[in-house]
């Protein structure tokens, strides 16, 4: 089982530029079934021994791809998301950072009610250890196991996964949902997926300042989640009104503070680690693992 | 990106949002000339800085003659204006805006922004103009009215009429309010604004609607398609360190502590600041060197950190996912040697090729403290910054 991605996932790469190609190769090395690339202007050619197509529709018809990963630069990224959805792809993972937020607002509205799930944008992707790597996460630090990891961040996710692996605790799926203000799969939906997954026994959630998605997640945990959850919130010392790297990481109008998120999660029964160095230990203690 | 009031008002005017007549001045003489040209009984002299609450710090003055406008401009230009939003250090006033005074009957509030949770645009209006809207929302939430606009459908006429009712506008005002909202929405979408705020939007004694103040923020990620907006940036309003970082495409936020930080990834960079604070220290900056940090980037990042005289120690925290730690180590060594770094340096490398990176650092004759874990790295850096 696991969530979103497994050994049956057939992955299409949209944007076979330098970065797309580099990561497609890493995904192949990690055992992922990468089936094709889409790169307008290079259709009919090939890269890494994979066929390249002009459109996502042709690629899906020819290869039966059911997931795609987007490395298209910001001006064309929202269009690539809509193209993948129009081609009937079930899971679209958008790695691109720097997409205008209005483009995402329109694309997310257009995806409502459609069967396509978007993860990201501005995310490191989805990694189901030993089965499927979609995006840019370093597969070598992960190992199969019972803990789901969901995070708004990239390298901080690696830090948490590394802490878990070093404690001998493996992961069912590691999911980076993205650091932008508008994303396709918010915390609540990720937690729903982990709650429903029989192979996931506990969840690590890594939030950060900005917005109130962690507060919504806290409500979900309190009301609907049976599995133990441990959390860390980054930006406890971030000043208000400053964007901390991620487009979505900003305390604005008195909302989005780390302290409020930590309090909401604690009240919901989540084990919140104040220290980023103790994320793994906190989960291990709370879930009785390791 | 933030712009000045006078720039926002020019954009308002271009999109059919009425604003008082006015002109911009860099000297007291220019301010007097603008006031004379306006020919109004009363003019308002307003300091142009990127912060609100200017009236409270003496940055907004009513003048009854061009000569008086000149005096106020003289006093304002070159002063350091402290408002509730500038912090105690204040902002240097380099320019003023002089505009015709208005006969105000009512003060309203109007804003348009993105609602992150819904993914819609939110049009927010209130009868309580001229106040802090967050206070109004918490004390009298019934006086704040919000219409959500579907980004694919755009603003609908009925939404403007609903808000006009909530603001108790008469028939003629409702009509001009509809046109004003349409213009504002067009501006917001056409220029990829992230916030438009008019506080106050006034109803004059003659019954006209006028934007008396104007705040416009833009989506940094969309500036690539708006060179006209990007050209409105005022470098004088930015923290010089943040400006330098932006020019070399590094994400940097200046803070007040003594531990300089260089990290790859925004989340890990925030977490590193948290770890330093948990160890009893104070970070000097947030710095995300990015996923593709290489030797040159590392050197640029060091330069930036060293510009800050408060820095007593530097912590480099790299989790090599895609980035190779041995390349980062080479960058750190090259930068430290080239720039003559004398501050104690703590380096933590984890992930891809970390062992190789650590070996390179250990073999160099530079005095670099290696750290294995995030906690150890922060403890070492905090101790070094204290000089212990």
């Amino acid at each position: 089982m696991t969530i979103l991605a497994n050994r049956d996932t057939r992955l299409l790469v949209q944007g076979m530029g330098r970065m797309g190609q580099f990561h497609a190769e890493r995904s192949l090395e990690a055992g992922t079934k990468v089936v094709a690339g889409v790169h307008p202007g290079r259709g009919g050619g090939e890269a890494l021994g994979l066929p390249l197509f002009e459109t996502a529709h042709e690629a899906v018809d020819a290869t039966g791809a059911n997931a795609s990963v987007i490395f298209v630069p910001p001006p064309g990224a929202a269009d690539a998301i809509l193209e993948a959805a129009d081609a009937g792809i079930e899971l679209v993972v958008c790695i691109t950072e720097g997409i205008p937020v209005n483009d995402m607002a329109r694309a997310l509205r257009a995806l409502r009610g459609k069967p396509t799930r978007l993860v990201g944008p501005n995310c490191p992707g989805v990694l189901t250890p030993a089965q499927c790597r979609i995006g840019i996460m370093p597969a070598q630090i992960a190992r199969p196991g019972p803990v789901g990891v969901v995070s708004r961040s990239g390298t901080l996710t690696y830090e948490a996964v590394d802490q878990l692996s070093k404690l001998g605790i493996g992961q069912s799926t590691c999911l980076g949902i993205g650091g932008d203000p508008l994303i396709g799969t918010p915390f609540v939906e990720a937690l729903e997926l982990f709650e429903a997954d029989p192979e996931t026994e506990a969840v690590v959630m890594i939030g950060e300042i900005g917005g109130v998605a962690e507060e919504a997640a806290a409500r979900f945990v309190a009301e609907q989640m049976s599995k133990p959850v441990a959390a860390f919130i980054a930006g406890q010392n971030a000043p208000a009104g400053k964007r901390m790297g991620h487009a979505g990481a900003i305390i604005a109008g008195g909302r989005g503070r780390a302290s409020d998120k930590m309090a909401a999660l604690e009240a919901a029964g989540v084990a919140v680690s104040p220290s980023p160095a103790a994320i793994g230990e906190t989960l291990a203690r709370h879930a009785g693992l390791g | 990106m933030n712009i000045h009031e006078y720039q926002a008002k020019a954009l308002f005017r271009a999109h059919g949002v009425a604003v008082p007549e006015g002109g911009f001045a860099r000297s007291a003489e220019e301010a007097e000339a603008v006031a004379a040209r306006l020919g109004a009984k009363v003019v308002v002299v307003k300091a142009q800085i990127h912060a609100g609450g200017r009236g409270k710090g003496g940055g907004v003055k009513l003048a009854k003659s061009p000569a008086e406008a000149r005096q106020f401009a003289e006093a304002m230009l070159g002063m350091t204006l402290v408002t509730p939003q500038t912090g105690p250090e204040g902002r240097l006033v380099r320019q003023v805006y002089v505009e015709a005074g208005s006969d105000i009957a009512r003060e309203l509030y109007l804003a348009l922004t993105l609602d992150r949770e819904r993914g819609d645009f939110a049009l927010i209006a209130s009868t309580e103009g001229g106040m802090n809207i967050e206070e109004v929302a918490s004390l009298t939430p019934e006086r704040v009215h919000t219409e959500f606009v579907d980004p694919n459908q755009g603003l609908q006429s009925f939404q403007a009429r609903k808000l006009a009712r909530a603001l108790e506008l008469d028939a003629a005002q409702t009509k001009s309010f509809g046109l004003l909202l349409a213009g504002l929405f067009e501006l917001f979408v056409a220029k990829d604004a992230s916030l438009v705020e008019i506080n106050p939007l006034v109803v004059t004694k003659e019954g006209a609607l006028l934007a008396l103040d104007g705040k416009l923020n833009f989506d940094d990620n969309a500036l690539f398609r708006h060179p006209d907006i990007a050209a409105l940036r005022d470098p004088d309003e930015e923290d010089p360190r943040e400006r330098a970082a932006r020019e070399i495409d590094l994400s940097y936020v200046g803070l007040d502590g003594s531990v300089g930080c260089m990290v790859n990834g925004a989340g890990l960079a925030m977490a590193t600041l948290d770890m330093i604070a948990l160890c009893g220290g104070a970070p000097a900056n947030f710095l995300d060197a990015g996923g593709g940090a290489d030797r040159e980037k590392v050197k640029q990042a060091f330069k930036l950190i060293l510009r800050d005289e408060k820095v007593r120690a530097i912590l480099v925290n790299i989790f090599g996912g895609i980035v190779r730690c041995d390349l980062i180590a080479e960058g750190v060594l090259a930068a430290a040697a080239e720039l003559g770094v004398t501050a104690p340096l703590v380096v933590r490398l984890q992930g891809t090729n970390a062992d190789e990176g650590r070996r390179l650092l250990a073999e160099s004759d530079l005095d670099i403290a290696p750290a294995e874990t995030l906690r150890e790295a922060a403890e070492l850096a905090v101790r070094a910054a204290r000089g212990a």
Side-chain angles (χ1 to χ4, degrees):
Chain A
M1 277 293 289
T2 69
I3 69 163
L4 298 173
N6 56 38
R7 53 177 64 84
D8 299 323
T9 300
R10 297 176 64 77
L11 184 66
L12 177 67
V13 179
Q14 290 175 267
M16 265 290 191
R18 198 179 56 86
M19 188 164 171
Q21 196 155 319
F22 177 85
H23 287 292
E25 200 169 1
R26 302 287 88 73
S27 289
L28 285 166
E29 286 166 6
T32 311
K33 289 193 183 76
V34 185
V35 295
V38 172
H39 200 105
R42 285 169 59 191
E46 62 172 49
L48 308 169
L50 302 169
L52 294 180
F53 296 90
E54 283 295 305
T55 67
H57 298 74
E58 290 168 84
V60 169
D61 286 346
T63 65
N66 61 0
S68 95
V69 59
I70 294 176
F71 289 101
V72 174
D79 181 65
I81 292 170
L82 294 172
E83 180 185 358
D86 194 58
I89 290 172
E90 295 155 31
L91 173 68
V92 178
V93 179
C94 185
I95 307 303
T96 311
E97 175 171 11
I99 304 176
V101 73
N102 285 356
D103 291 7
M104 280 315 302
R106 284 189 283 267
L108 284 177
R109 265 284 166 177
L111 289 180
R112 277 195 203 173
K114 294 231 169 85
T116 298
R117 170 177 295 285
L118 172 68
V119 172
N122 190 10
C123 79
V126 184
L127 173 67
T128 295
Q131 295 195 39
C132 182
R133 172 188 182 271
I134 304 177
I136 63 173
M137 288 196 218
Q140 72 275 13
I141 59 167
R143 53 157 80 185
V147 176
V149 178
V150 55
S151 167
R152 281 168 70 182
S153 156
T155 46
L156 183 55
T157 314
Y158 314 159
E159 174 74 41
V161 169
D162 192 50
Q163 287 177 23
L164 288 169
S165 292
K166 282 180 176 156
L167 291 169
I169 304 172
Q171 304 88 40
S172 54
T173 299
C174 308
L175 171 62
I177 58 174
D180 271 6
L182 291 185
I183 53 173
T185 300
F187 276 124
V188 168
E189 291 179 28
L191 292 174
E192 271 170 359
L193 293 169
F194 281 128
E195 174 70 9
D197 172 33
E199 287 186 22
T200 299
E201 292 171 23
V203 178
V204 167
M205 173 184 151
I206 299 167
E208 62 191 36
I209 57 163
V212 292
E214 289 81 358
E215 285 86 337
R219 283 193 296 280
F220 178 81
V221 171
E223 291 162 12
Q224 300 188 47
M225 201 133 175
S226 64
K227 298 175 183 177
V229 179
F232 172 74
I233 304 295
Q236 295 163 42
N237 296 281
K242 290 281 187 186
R243 218 169 277 284
M244 304 299 275
H246 286 153
I250 180 164
I251 300 168
R255 281 159 43 114
R257 287 190 195 90
S259 54
D260 295 342
K261 294 170 187 296
M262 292 165 76
L265 288 164
E266 270 166 11
V270 173
V272 180
S273 171
S275 160
I279 301 171
E281 293 161 34
T282 304
L283 182 279
R285 217 178 311 118
H286 188 55
L289 292 167
Chain B
M1 187 189 89
N2 204 347
I3 62 173
H4 286 295
E5 174 198 2
Y6 78 92
Q7 297 166 322
K9 284 183 167 169
L11 284 163
F12 284 176
R13 200 178 282 128
H15 285 84
V17 177
V19 296
E21 286 298 312
F24 155 85
R26 278 185 192 280
S27 68
E29 294 71 31
E30 282 174 26
E32 183 176 17
V34 172
R37 175 169 62 76
L38 292 173
K41 268 197 305 227
V42 175
V43 297
V44 191
V45 182
K46 304 170 91 174
Q48 298 295 291
I49 57 167
H50 284 187
R54 292 168 297 173
K56 295 188 180 92
V60 178
K61 297 279 188 190
L62 291 182
K64 295 198 177 66
S65 68
E68 205 181 5
R70 180 195 175 109
Q71 285 169 17
F72 286 135
E74 185 94 61
M76 259 179 229
L77 289 163
M79 83 183 263
T80 299
L81 184 55
V82 179
T83 85
Q85 293 182 20
T86 58
E89 70 279 13
R91 292 278 176 84
L92 180 65
V93 180
R94 294 179 168 88
Q95 48 214 4
V96 296
Y97 189 57
V98 182
E99 67 182 8
S102 310
D103 278 333
I104 300 168
R106 297 179 63 204
E107 296 191 44
L108 311 172
Y109 174 92
L110 187 63
L112 179 56
T113 188
L114 173 78
D115 182 287
R116 291 172 64 150
E117 272 55 58
R118 296 177 53 108
D120 288 324
F121 300 131
L123 196 47
I124 303 158
S126 172
T127 49
E128 311 302 297
M131 323 256 293
N132 177 336
I133 193 66
E134 282 144 28
E135 275 170 33
V136 176
S138 75
L139 297 175
T140 50
E142 70 282 1
R143 292 185 192 161
V144 178
H145 310 275
T146 304
E147 280 293 314
F148 293 104
V149 181
D150 180 323
N152 286 334
Q153 303 255 352
L155 178 71
Q156 306 298 307
S157 306
F158 77 86
Q159 297 184 299
R161 291 200 310 277
K162 275 173 77 183
L163 285 180
R165 295 286 293 167
L167 294 176
E168 299 156 25
L169 299 179
D170 68 23
Q173 289 159 7
T174 297
K175 198 172 165 198
S176 45
F177 184 67
L179 292 171
L180 181 148
L181 279 191
L184 209 60
F185 191 79
E186 179 196 88
L187 166 64
F188 186 88
V189 172
K191 300 298 183 190
D192 284 295
S194 51
L195 171 71
V196 187
E197 189 180 50
I198 303 177
N199 190 19
L201 171 70
V202 302
V203 181
T204 65
K205 292 202 170 122
E206 296 78 41
L209 292 173
L210 272 184
L212 222 55
D213 199 359
K215 182 174 179 184
L216 256 176
N217 291 348
F218 296 92
D219 179 3
D220 291 325
N221 286 342
L223 288 176
F224 72 86
R225 59 190 178 199
H226 302 296
D228 55 333
I229 300 297
L232 298 178
R233 187 189 292 279
D234 181 352
D236 287 336
E237 289 288 329
E238 294 177 289
D239 177 319
R241 297 171 297 174
E242 290 173 21
R243 184 173 70 218
R246 186 171 49 72
E247 282 161 5
I248 52 173
D249 204 23
L250 283 173
S251 182
Y252 177 98
V253 176
L255 302 168
D256 296 327
S258 58
V259 182
C261 298
M262 177 167 73
V263 188
N264 67 328
L268 189 60
M270 278 188 270
T272 304
L273 308 186
D274 295 340
M275 196 72 231
I276 290 168
L278 282 170
C279 292
N285 64 278
F286 164 97
L287 192 157
D288 172 9
D294 56 13
R295 193 187 164 114
E296 184 55 30
K297 265 267 156 71
V298 170
K299 192 173 130 192
Q300 298 281 13
F302 264 102
K303 264 193 185 162
L304 201 60
I305 291 168
L306 291 168
R307 277 178 67 146
D308 185 343
E309 288 170 2
K310 298 188 302 298
V311 169
R312 293 282 169 271
I314 299 174
L315 169 56
V316 178
N317 181 21
I318 301 292
F319 202 106
I322 303 319
V323 171
R324 278 170 47 191
C325 290
D326 53 331
L327 295 182
I328 295 285
E330 283 176 11
V332 169
L333 292 174
E338 239 174 278
L339 302 170
V341 176
T342 52
L345 196 52
V346 179
V347 180
R348 183 236 182 182
L349 300 173
Q350 271 297 346
T352 309
N353 293 9
D355 290 341
E356 176 68 12
R358 287 185 207 127
R359 192 183 55 77
L360 286 171
L361 295 178
E363 282 172 2
S364 86
D365 41 10
L366 289 165
D367 187 16
I368 295 174
E372 186 86 16
T373 66
L374 184 51
R375 182 175 296 141
E376 188 190 352
E379 277 169 0
L380 284 172
V382 169
R383 211 177 302 148
R386 286 205 190 106

